[in-house]
Amino acid sequence: MYLRGLIILCLHLATICGIYIDNDDGTTREIKMSVRDKNKIAKQMLTAWGIRRPGSRGVDPDSYLSLFMASAYKFHTDDLEDEIRFNPSYSDLDSKTTYFGYDRKLRGVLDHDFDVIVAFEPKHIVTDTPLTDALGSNLAEIDFSNEDTDYPYELVHAGLYFAVDSDADFSVKNVQLYYTVADEIIKMPSGVSFPINDTNFVAFNVSKIVEGWMRHPEMSRRLYVRITDNKGKSRPLDGLLSHLHAFGVGFFIEGDEYYKNRHPRDAGFLEDDDANEIDDGTSSTPIPDGPIDVIAPPRTDTCRKRALFIDFSDLGWTDFIVAPHGYRANYCAGGCPFPLDGIYHPTNHALFQTLVHLLHKNVTGEALCAPTMMDKSMSLLFLDKNQVRIKKYADMSVTECGCQ
């Protein structure tokens, strides 16, 4: 219903709105509309997808965080060719992520599927805090106190990732991670290293720690890092931290709380003024006497899948939607003539409803052309304030239509 209203609105209006529909000849045509209504539709789509449009571009995320998320996006959409294309504003990320060692080293960590990946940077990495002084020398504090962990999702896995500039005189293998319990500092198990093109990353499993942060928001959200030499001895951090990049990544699934807290879709501007009118049956056509001609005349607009493409660039989303550049939604349209043979994939109910409609046209409507099969989920890679997210959306593209 949402797409149907969107198409009707577009057809009656006049600027490119980023929506392209079937031209019935194997091509598509651009829909024109006013800027005002284009912005309305864009807002409704973001609301439906649970995305907050940033007020301004702001500060770009850390380049290594962006590199990781672009690679993760491509890795998880490698069987969906259309989704791999990045918006032109982020084409450099596409060219820098041609090899991802994630599958080989980290896939076993994730025993579950996920709906959302959230990547975020720490507030700062500093030395000379009272706690680092008390815990020992050559220790830096990684502060995530700026990160809101009140997510309406269930955590599957959380990792803390490090990368090192190519001109640094140490590598990610020299990074050691610590956490605290009371006054005791505890070293984390060694991280797992993996490459993205020519850059090496190391990942530490911090799932239990982040679960604690989510359950107890009042907890201190700090971890600690040391950099060692090749013999395992800690090194002074002066001049080293500027080459060290750290970011957290959480993998989540959407539980019941997400759907309870999700904002309702406001599609009021698409509503039909006559939508609430009810047919009381007083205008129904009497059942005719004599034989009934149940063979409908041939129709050229029979039920089938039609093209519908949403271009995110034309919608003005290039500042925060990194990938894909758009997606093929498609839609179903056309009549469901009797007899409904197999090409229309009719349900038994559709067959029965069609027969009743032939006998008494105002008692029931015709069977309707609707999706009978949807494609795999679509994934979006986008910026959300100080975070970078990958989010999956199910049932976004029609692959087959039928009469129901």
Side-chain angles (χ1 to χ4, degrees):
M1 289 299 294
Y2 178 77
L3 287 176
R4 184 185 295 273
L6 182 150
I7 295 167
I8 292 172
L9 182 63
C10 284
L11 287 172
H12 288 84
L13 301 163
T15 287
I16 293 176
C17 71
I19 300 170
Y20 299 78
I21 65 169
D22 204 314
N23 212 25
D24 292 327
D25 61 0
T27 64
T28 57
R29 68 181 185 273
E30 301 169 343
I31 296 177
K32 307 290 185 179
M33 66 166 58
S34 70
V35 173
R36 176 176 176 271
D37 288 304
K38 170 184 171 180
N39 291 337
K40 275 188 176 181
I41 285 179
K43 181 179 179 181
Q44 292 295 322
M45 291 174 68
L46 294 178
T47 299
W49 292 342
I51 297 177
R52 299 170 293 185
R53 179 167 188 165
S56 60
R57 176 70 178 265
V59 179
D60 287 336
D62 179 90
S63 60
Y64 292 94
L65 180 156
S66 299
L67 183 66
F68 173 86
M69 290 296 281
S71 298
Y73 175 83
K74 293 175 74 172
F75 173 75
H76 288 291
T77 57
D78 60 358
D79 59 339
L80 303 174
E81 183 177 348
D82 283 344
E83 294 209 23
I84 300 301
R85 289 182 56 187
F86 281 52
N87 270 325
S89 300
Y90 298 95
S91 59
D92 59 321
L93 280 178
D94 193 7
S95 63
K96 291 177 180 177
T97 53
T98 56
Y99 175 74
F100 192 23
Y102 180 83
D103 186 34
R104 181 169 54 87
K105 289 293 187 71
L106 294 182
R107 188 60 173 172
V109 174
L110 303 176
D111 296 326
H112 300 84
D113 198 2
F114 64 88
D115 298 310
V116 185
I117 304 177
V118 181
F120 45 90
E121 299 178 58
K123 180 178 180 179
H124 54 232
I125 305 177
V126 295
T127 58
D128 301 327
T129 69
L131 191 53
T132 57
D133 290 343
L135 292 173
S137 61
N138 303 333
L139 193 68
E141 176 185 275
I142 308 173
D143 184 0
F144 284 103
S145 61
N146 63 321
E147 180 57 32
D148 181 12
T149 56
D150 186 22
Y151 298 122
Y153 310 125
E154 178 184 342
L155 181 69
V156 174
H157 173 75
L160 183 60
Y161 295 77
F162 292 93
V164 175
D165 291 332
S166 59
D167 59 347
D169 65 349
F170 65 99
S171 73
V172 290
K173 295 180 180 180
N174 302 119
V175 176
Q176 295 180 347
L177 187 65
Y178 298 82
Y179 66 101
T180 57
V181 176
D183 295 331
E184 183 182 3
I185 184 167
I186 301 172
K187 182 181 177 182
M188 296 281 293
S190 298
V192 177
S193 61
F194 62 95
I196 299 178
N197 284 20
D198 297 329
T199 302
N200 286 316
F201 290 74
V202 64
F204 292 88
N205 188 340
V206 293
S207 298
K208 296 297 183 183
I209 295 172
V210 174
E211 283 177 358
W213 294 351
M214 294 176 69
R215 286 197 303 266
H216 305 286
E218 73 282 359
M219 287 182 62
S220 172
R221 302 175 187 177
R222 292 175 173 83
L223 297 169
Y224 301 88
V225 64
R226 279 195 175 109
I227 298 173
T228 67
D229 58 23
N230 292 331
K231 295 182 179 180
K233 184 178 180 181
S234 64
R235 296 178 56 181
L237 296 175
D238 295 340
L240 299 184
L241 289 184
S242 60
H243 295 284
L244 183 67
H245 301 261
F247 56 91
V249 180
F251 297 77
F252 301 89
I253 56 174
E254 293 176 342
D256 292 339
E257 287 302 312
Y258 169 77
Y259 294 101
K260 289 178 184 178
N261 297 330
R262 188 175 181 183
H263 296 295
R265 301 179 182 183
D266 176 17
F269 76 98
L270 295 175
E271 291 178 357
D272 187 341
D273 292 337
D274 299 324
N276 294 322
E277 291 187 2
I278 300 174
D279 184 358
D280 61 5
T282 57
S283 61
S284 62
T285 303
I287 299 176
D289 294 328
I292 301 172
D293 181 9
V294 297
I295 305 299
R299 298 180 61 176
T300 59
D301 62 339
T302 53
C303 178
R304 65 179 176 85
K305 182 183 75 174
R306 313 205 179 209
L308 173 61
F309 181 77
I310 315 295
D311 190 306
F312 297 153
S313 297
D314 287 349
L315 286 174
W317 292 352
T318 54
D319 58 333
F320 66 100
I321 299 292
V322 180
H325 70 295
Y327 88 99
R328 301 187 186 281
N330 301 325
Y331 69 104
C332 297
C336 292
F338 191 88
L340 291 176
D341 56 31
I343 64 171
Y344 301 111
H345 310 286
T347 61
N348 289 330
H349 180 271
L351 292 169
F352 175 75
Q353 181 173 330
T354 300
L355 288 170
V356 174
H357 176 73
L358 288 168
L359 293 170
H360 212 300
K361 286 185 167 48
N362 288 335
V363 171
T364 65
E366 292 181 294
L368 298 178
C369 185
T372 57
M373 185 176 295
M374 307 295 288
D375 203 352
K376 297 178 180 179
S377 60
M378 179 191 74
S379 296
L380 282 180
L381 172 60
F382 61 96
L383 306 180
D384 184 4
K385 293 186 177 180
N386 63 325
Q387 300 175 345
V388 181
R389 295 190 176 207
I390 297 172
K391 189 171 182 181
K392 291 181 180 179
Y393 297 89
D395 299 334
M396 290 292 291
S397 181
V398 176
T399 58
E400 192 175 276
C401 300
C403 294
Q404 300 186 22

